């Protein structure tokens, strides 16, 4: 066993030193695994980025209340009377001014022209109470000021401002029959970045919602209160509301969109990896054929068959590893932070940034190594079975 | 043609390698085929969207309603042949996990407008018009929940569809199951539950006298785009402004909103192709190179240089054609599966054509250097393997 390790060192050095003589077949392994990894990493970067944005900064101590049975905010309807009941509940935290941290919210979408084309896309307009800003702490105002209650003023997310026409501060924005004024811009690295925020009562009258809202957001005194809060609402016969933590709600919203994309990434990844694997087997066959005499000579000189084989495997692994690193680096350079947008469930646009975290890079390199090892295995076994004398004849 | 057998046999010069080349080529073209069909589909909505029928929404937001009274105004406008109304009640059936949406329509107009995609017996249509709480359902949803004609079902609606009696439970009696004539419409229409708008409007508490949208069918020969403009102009500056779009254009707008993910898909396709083309091309070139002594033999027995070059190209084309045919064929067989996932899309086989073109380019590119080598081959050098 010890002698084996002694043998592999020089064999490997020799193999790697003669690599330039086998540019073709070693290039195939490098390029193949680089391609697979680049593709896998970039598709997973889409779903990772989308998932990050959709889940956003969903918190465990913020509860979202929807009418019973509603899957998302736009389907839900909550009355003003329900809001009053909820806001006065014991589990609800109070803000600095002593008012309870509860925000009744209305979401609606309106059509706007894109920046770069004549097409129209949908933007989400979210009506919030002023204390709603404390409930959505991810919102950071970068420019201008907050809307004033009772006025048709709006605060615009950076995703909306960058993607659509006419959202500079002071610009008039037409939503149906009313004209709104942009008073400020904000950034948030979650779904709100693709939204426009305004006063909920103004939105309520603009959308003919009467005394109804779509959803209630409530900050609890602590996340431990969630169960008690749920129980209290469940036992109140006047309330037909579903309660869940904001974190859970957004995770569920995300699963539908980015979950499908992750499946697509793996399906494409597996098909492509199998194509690359066949290619790698093929070129390593060629490489083993070309080096038949060389390897037989080594065995005749006294190197053990298994160490010759192992050196061949490790060499392929090194090539695939290098390819995998190149592919992962390519995916990272091209797509990390790349801004993309797509349509979310409610037909409105979500702007998000592609993300290539370390775990994706590691995953990619592992796939590459697997391709290298599997690709080298059959050619290595085949050449090791050849009798030395026969192989020496070439 | 007489050389076909020769090309076929030399193709299998080393069968193991040929199989490997073919397999990686099949993987490449399978991916290419799938990506191309999806890419093509993203710019070509399914015909089930009904070409020039107009959808009329509230201009402020398609989630806001329009007054029912608009129907009579639109009906009298020139070029309009038929108007149907649509409103929906969404909720769930039995378990909150089974979300269900029922469409309140004008039954006669609905089935007449969708006549190319779905059909229903005259008898069930007549009973539906006579039965307030009746419903006609699609084959997909009927199979899913095991519904039969005569069954009574309850839709537990979301709070916004509360009835005047305070209940959110909407009972329906199933009067018929329609059939879907065009398979590409199955996903879009097969799960519909259709009932009378009159029932919805007299029972509900909120939004009475309102509809979600109108569907307007232009008369034969009328210009849909013009009618859309006329409708929007008619209601401009009213309390409820409209936005009318032909369904086809609407579908295209929705598809476009998948946004620049399309660009990323294109770059990925390019990366897949470049990688696998490099890999297979390299292997095939190597194989040709090994066979140079064989080519010399052929030349010795009288094959001309040009014929030899042609044979090399033919062999490469044959390999690529085989790999491409199997791969693209596989993508074609997979497309019904994709159709179920991406039901808005028309997965037309036309999307597969660029793949065949690419196969030809790859075949010629791979054969170029070996063909050139075969042509300028010196017999003596090659036979003694001094190339």
């Amino acid at each position: 066993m010890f002698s084996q390790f002694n043998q592999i060192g020089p064999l490997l050095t020799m193999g790697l030193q003669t690599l330039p003589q086998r540019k073709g077949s070693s290039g195939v392994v490098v390029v193949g695994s680089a391609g697979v990894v680049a593709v896998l990493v970039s598709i997973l970067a889409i779903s990772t980025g989308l998932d990050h944005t959709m889940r956003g900064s969903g918190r465990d101590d913020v509860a979202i209340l929807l009418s019973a049975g509603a899957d998302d905010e736009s389907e839900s309807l909550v009355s003003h009377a329900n809001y009053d009941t909820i806001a006065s509940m014991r589990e609800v935290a109070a803000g600095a001014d002593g008012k309870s941290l509860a925000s009744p919210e209305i979401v609606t979408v309106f059509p706007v022209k894109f920046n770069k084309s004549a097409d129209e896309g949908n933007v989400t307009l979210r009506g919030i109470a002023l204390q709603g800003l404390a409930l959505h702490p991810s919102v950071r105002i970068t420019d201008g000021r907050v809307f004033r209650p009772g006025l048709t003023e709006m605060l615009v997310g950076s995703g909306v401002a960058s993607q659509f026409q006419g959202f500079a501060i002071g610009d008039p924005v037409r939503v149906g029959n009313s004209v709104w004024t942009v008073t400020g811009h904000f950034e948030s690295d979650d779904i709100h970045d693709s939204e426009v925020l305004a006063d909920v009562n103004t939105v309520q009258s603009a959308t003919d919602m009467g005394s109804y809202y779509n959803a209630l957001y409530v900050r609890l005194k602590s996340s431990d209160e969630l169960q008690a809060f749920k129980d209290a609402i469940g036992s109140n016969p006047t309330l037909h509301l579903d309660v869940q933590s904001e974190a859970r709600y957004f995770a569920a919203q995300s699963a539908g969109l980015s979950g499908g994309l992750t499946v697509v990434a793996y399906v494409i990844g597996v098909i492509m990896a199998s194509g690359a694997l066949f290619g790698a087997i093929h070129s390593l066959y060629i490489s083993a054929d070309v080096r038949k005499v060389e390897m037989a000579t080594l065995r005749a000189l006294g190197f053990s068959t298994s160490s010759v084989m192992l050196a061949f495997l490790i060499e392929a692994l090194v090539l695939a590893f290098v390819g995998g690193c190149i592919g992962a680096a390519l995916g990272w350079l091209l797509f990390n932070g790349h801004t993309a947008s797509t349509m979310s469930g409610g037909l409105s646009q979500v702007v998000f940034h592609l993300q290539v975290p370390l775990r994706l890079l590691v995953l990619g390199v592992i796939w590459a190594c697997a391709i290298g090892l599997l690709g080298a295995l059959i050619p290595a076994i085949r050449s090791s079975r050849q009798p030395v004398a026969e192989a020496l004849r070439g | 043609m007489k050389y076909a057998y020769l090309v076929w046999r030399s193709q299998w010069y080393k069968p193991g390698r040929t199989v490997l080349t073919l397999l990686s080529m099949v993987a490449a073209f399978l991916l290419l085929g799938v990506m191309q069909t999806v890419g093509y589909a993203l710019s070509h909505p399914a015909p089930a969207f009904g070409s020039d029928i107009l959808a009329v929404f509230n201009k402020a937001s398609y989630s806001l309603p329009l007054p029912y009274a608009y129907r009579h105004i639109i009906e009298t406008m020139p070029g309009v042949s038929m108007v149907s109304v649509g409103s929906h009640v969404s909720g769930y059936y039995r378990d909150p996990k089974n979300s269900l949406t029922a469409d309140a329509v004008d039954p006669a107009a609905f089935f007449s407008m969708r006549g190319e995609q779905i059909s229903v017996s005259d008898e069930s249509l007549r009973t539906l018009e006579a039965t307030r709480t009746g419903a006609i359902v699609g084959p997909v949803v009927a199979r899913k929940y095991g519904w039969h004609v005569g069954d009574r079902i309850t839709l537990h609606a979301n709070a916004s569809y509360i009835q005047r009696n305070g209940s959110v439970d909407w009972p329906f009696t199933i009067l018929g199951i329609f059939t879907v004539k065009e398979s590409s419409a199955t996903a879009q229409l097969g799960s519909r539950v259709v009932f009378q708008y009159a029932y919805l409007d007299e029972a509900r508490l909120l939004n009475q006298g309102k509809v979600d949208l109108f569907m307007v069918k232009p008369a034969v020969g009328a210009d849909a785009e013009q009618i859309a403009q006329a409708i929007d102009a008619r209601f401009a500056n009213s309390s409820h402004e409209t936005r009318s779009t032909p369904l086809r254009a609407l579908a295209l707008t929705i598809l476009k909103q998948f946004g620049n993910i399309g660009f990323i898909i294109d770059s990925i396709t390019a990366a897949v192709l470049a990688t696998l083309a490099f890999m297979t091309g390299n292997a095939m070139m190597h194989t040709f190179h090994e066979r140079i002594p064989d080519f010399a033999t052929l030349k010795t027995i009288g094959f001309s240089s040009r014929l030899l070059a042609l044979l090399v190209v033919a062999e490469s084309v044959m390999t690529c054609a085989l790999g491409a045919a199997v791969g693209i064929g596989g993508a074609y067989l997979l497309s019904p599966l994709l159709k179920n996932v991406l039901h808005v899309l028309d997965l037309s086989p036309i999307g597969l054509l660029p793949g065949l073109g690419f196969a030809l380019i790859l075949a010629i590119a791979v054969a170029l250097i070996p063909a050139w080598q075969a042509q300028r081959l010196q017999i003596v050098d090659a036979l003694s393997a001094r190339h």
Side-chain angles (χ1 to χ4, degrees):
Chain A
M1 197 63 211
F2 179 74
S3 70
Q4 278 220 354
F5 281 111
N6 267 348
Q7 287 183 351
I8 287 175
L11 283 174
L12 208 55
T13 321
M14 198 178 87
L16 293 176
Q17 271 172 354
T18 53
L19 267 185
Q21 291 164 25
R22 303 185 298 277
K23 282 196 201 83
S25 60
S26 38
V28 165
V29 178
V30 174
V31 171
S33 47
V36 172
V37 172
V39 166
L40 184 74
V41 164
S42 35
I43 310 182
L44 285 175
I46 303 177
S47 64
T48 311
L50 194 54
D51 188 55
H52 177 87
T53 299
M54 297 291 287
R55 280 170 190 268
S57 34
R59 295 167 60 118
D60 286 322
D61 63 347
V62 171
I64 167 166
L65 292 88
L66 303 175
S67 56
D71 289 329
D72 61 37
E73 292 175 87
S74 60
E75 280 180 16
S76 154
L77 201 70
V78 182
S79 71
H80 188 85
N82 281 174
Y83 163 62
D84 285 341
T85 316
I86 299 291
S88 62
M89 281 173 69
R90 188 184 59 74
E91 291 85 359
V92 177
D97 56 357
K99 278 192 189 163
S100 47
L101 285 173
S103 171
E105 307 202 346
I106 293 177
V107 289
T108 181
V109 293
F110 64 102
V112 192
K113 281 204 163 49
F114 279 107
N115 245 338
K116 288 175 191 151
S117 69
D119 296 316
E120 283 187 341
N122 289 302
V123 171
T124 301
L125 168 63
R126 177 182 292 273
I128 63 171
L130 265 188
Q131 61 266 33
L133 284 175
L135 277 156
H136 303 298
S138 63
V139 171
R140 298 179 305 276
I141 295 170
T142 52
D143 213 357
R145 59 169 175 84
V146 185
F147 51 86
R148 280 171 299 189
L151 295 179
T152 50
E153 294 183 336
M154 51 171 55
L155 197 57
V156 175
S158 68
V160 175
S162 65
Q163 234 200 338
F164 294 97
Q165 295 177 12
F167 283 104
I169 290 182
D171 278 359
V173 176
R174 224 177 122 85
V175 182
N177 280 343
S178 48
V179 177
W180 301 62
T181 311
V182 177
T183 59
H185 290 155
F186 69 90
E187 272 179 12
S188 74
D189 57 357
D190 55 16
I191 186 89
H192 300 307
D193 202 53
S194 307
E195 294 178 343
V196 167
L197 302 179
D199 173 45
V200 67
N201 295 318
T202 320
V203 176
Q204 199 177 39
S205 52
T207 52
D208 280 338
M209 292 277 284
S211 60
Y212 285 89
Y213 307 106
N214 287 127
L216 302 178
Y217 282 75
V218 171
R219 166 80 67 84
L220 301 175
K221 283 176 181 152
S222 88
S223 56
D224 305 332
E225 300 268 2
L226 185 65
Q227 196 51 47
F229 185 61
K230 270 186 187 170
D231 294 343
I233 287 168
S235 60
N236 186 334
T238 64
L239 299 173
H240 301 283
L241 299 172
D242 284 341
V243 187
Q244 52 194 323
S245 72
E246 194 190 26
R248 238 190 89 193
Y249 173 74
F250 283 124
Q253 297 288 307
S254 169
L257 212 54
S258 59
L261 211 53
T262 308
V263 173
V264 169
Y266 282 110
V267 170
I268 291 179
V270 166
I271 299 180
M272 185 164 175
S274 56
L277 181 61
F278 296 130
I281 295 177
H282 192 167
S283 61
L284 289 165
Y285 256 130
I286 294 174
S287 162
D289 268 359
V290 170
R291 297 167 69 189
K292 199 158 76 174
V293 178
E294 175 200 321
M295 282 157 105
T297 311
L298 289 169
R299 282 158 71 192
L301 283 176
F303 284 97
S304 77
T305 307
S306 58
S307 46
V308 172
M309 210 175 112
L310 212 56
F312 185 77
L313 278 180
I314 295 177
E315 194 187 308
L317 192 65
V318 169
L319 290 175
F321 177 80
V322 170
C325 290
I326 295 175
L330 266 179
W332 188 81
L333 283 176
L334 284 177
F335 290 124
N336 193 33
H338 183 93
T339 306
S341 71
T342 191
M343 197 167 45
S344 77
L347 292 192
S348 54
Q349 289 280 305
V350 194
V351 178
F352 62 98
H353 302 283
L354 271 63
Q355 284 187 342
V356 186
L358 188 64
R359 84 185 150 78
L360 281 196
L361 299 178
V362 172
L363 181 82
V365 173
I366 291 176
W367 275 52
C369 293
I371 290 173
L373 263 188
L374 289 175
L377 207 56
I378 304 173
I381 292 174
R382 198 184 67 143
S383 64
S384 73
R385 283 210 182 135
Q386 247 172 357
V388 175
E390 199 177 289
L392 271 176
R393 255 178 264 128
Chain B
M1 214 55 240
K2 65 177 170 179
Y3 298 111
Y5 184 68
L6 177 65
V7 174
W8 174 254
R9 284 308 301 254
S10 41
Q11 163 114 357
W12 299 99
Y13 153 74
K14 281 198 175 169
R17 283 196 194 169
T18 311
V19 167
L20 288 172
T21 306
L22 285 176
L23 281 176
S24 47
M25 220 177 274
V26 165
F29 282 100
L30 183 68
L31 267 188
L32 178 74
V34 170
M35 297 287 230
Q36 290 283 329
T37 12
V38 173
Y40 177 84
L42 279 176
S43 49
H44 298 79
F49 272 91
S51 53
D52 56 354
I53 291 177
L54 300 173
V56 181
F57 289 104
N58 187 316
K59 189 180 176 186
S61 166
Y62 61 81
S63 57
L64 294 175
L66 287 170
Y68 181 85
Y70 280 15
R71 176 178 187 173
H72 308 297
I73 303 174
I74 299 174
E75 270 169 348
T76 57
M77 292 177 70
V80 171
S81 99
M82 193 190 297
V83 179
S84 161
V85 297
S87 270
H88 70 279
V89 175
S90 54
Y92 62 90
Y93 173 66
R94 283 196 176 150
D95 187 286
K97 284 189 210 88
N98 303 327
S99 20
L100 184 70
T101 299
D103 294 306
V105 300
D106 172 344
F110 175 82
F111 284 106
S112 149
M113 252 187 224
R114 290 288 188 181
E116 280 173 25
Q117 290 115 29
I118 53 180
S119 68
V120 67
S121 72
D122 288 343
E123 191 203 334
S124 9
L125 188 55
R126 265 196 309 277
T127 0
L128 179 63
E129 285 178 319
T131 319
R132 212 175 62 103
T133 59
I136 292 182
V137 302
V140 177
V141 71
R143 207 177 317 120
K144 183 172 174 194
Y145 298 123
W147 292 342
H148 298 284
V149 174
D151 284 0
R152 293 182 61 84
I153 58 163
T154 303
L155 167 62
H156 302 280
N158 298 335
S160 41
Y161 309 101
I162 188 165
Q163 297 174 29
R164 288 208 276 192
N165 60 16
S167 164
V168 289
D169 291 346
W170 292 77
F172 294 104
T173 307
I174 293 173
L175 302 175
I177 296 169
F178 62 77
T179 47
V180 179
K181 291 198 280 191
E182 194 185 317
S183 65
S184 69
T186 310
Q188 197 209 346
L189 298 170
S191 296
R192 294 284 180 98
V193 173
V194 175
F195 70 104
Q196 275 199 65
Y197 174 76
Y199 171 30
L200 170 76
D201 207 46
E202 65 183 59
R204 66 176 163 185
L205 179 67
L206 304 168
N207 277 327
Q208 271 196 334
K210 299 276 175 63
V211 298
D212 290 350
L213 81 164
F214 295 103
M215 300 283 246
V216 178
K217 187 178 182 182
V220 179
D223 180 13
E225 204 57 59
Q226 251 171 31
I227 299 174
Q229 284 168 10
I231 294 173
D232 293 348
R234 171 65 184 76
F235 300 111
N237 300 316
S238 72
S239 60
H240 296 81
E241 292 190 302
T242 60
R243 205 152 75 104
S244 313
T245 328
L247 284 184
R248 194 168 179 75
L250 189 69
L252 211 56
T253 327
I254 293 174
L255 291 184
K256 272 191 185 145
Q257 296 203 19
F258 280 106
N260 50 12
I261 280 201
F263 158 74
I264 298 166
I265 289 186
D266 284 347
S267 4
I268 289 168
T269 315
V272 170
L273 281 178
T275 309
L276 294 177
F278 177 79
M279 296 183 82
T280 48
N282 198 288
M284 279 168 72
M285 266 197 240
H286 183 88
T287 311
F288 281 126
H289 196 73
E290 277 183 358
R291 281 165 47 203
I292 281 184
D294 297 358
F295 294 145
T297 313
L298 287 177
K299 231 175 177 172
T300 315
I301 61 174
F303 278 62
S304 74
S305 292
R306 171 176 291 183
L307 181 60
L308 216 51
L310 277 178
L311 284 178
V312 169
V313 173
E315 193 186 320
S316 164
V317 168
M318 189 184 259
T319 312
C320 290
L322 213 65
V326 176
I328 293 181
Y332 179 74
L333 293 180
L334 275 179
S335 74
L337 269 178
L338 285 172
K339 213 172 227 173
N340 292 338
V341 186
L342 308 161
H343 56 84
V344 208
L345 310 178
D346 177 20
L347 290 170
S348 155
I350 298 173
L352 295 171
L353 288 180
L356 293 176
F358 183 80
L360 193 67
I361 295 172
L362 178 68
I364 292 173
V366 164
L368 222 50
I369 296 177
W372 176 70
Q373 282 176 337
Q375 197 173 357
R376 59 182 284 280
L377 203 66
Q378 295 301 317
I379 298 178
V380 182
D381 290 347
L383 277 178
S384 60
R386 273 184 291 161
H387 46 276

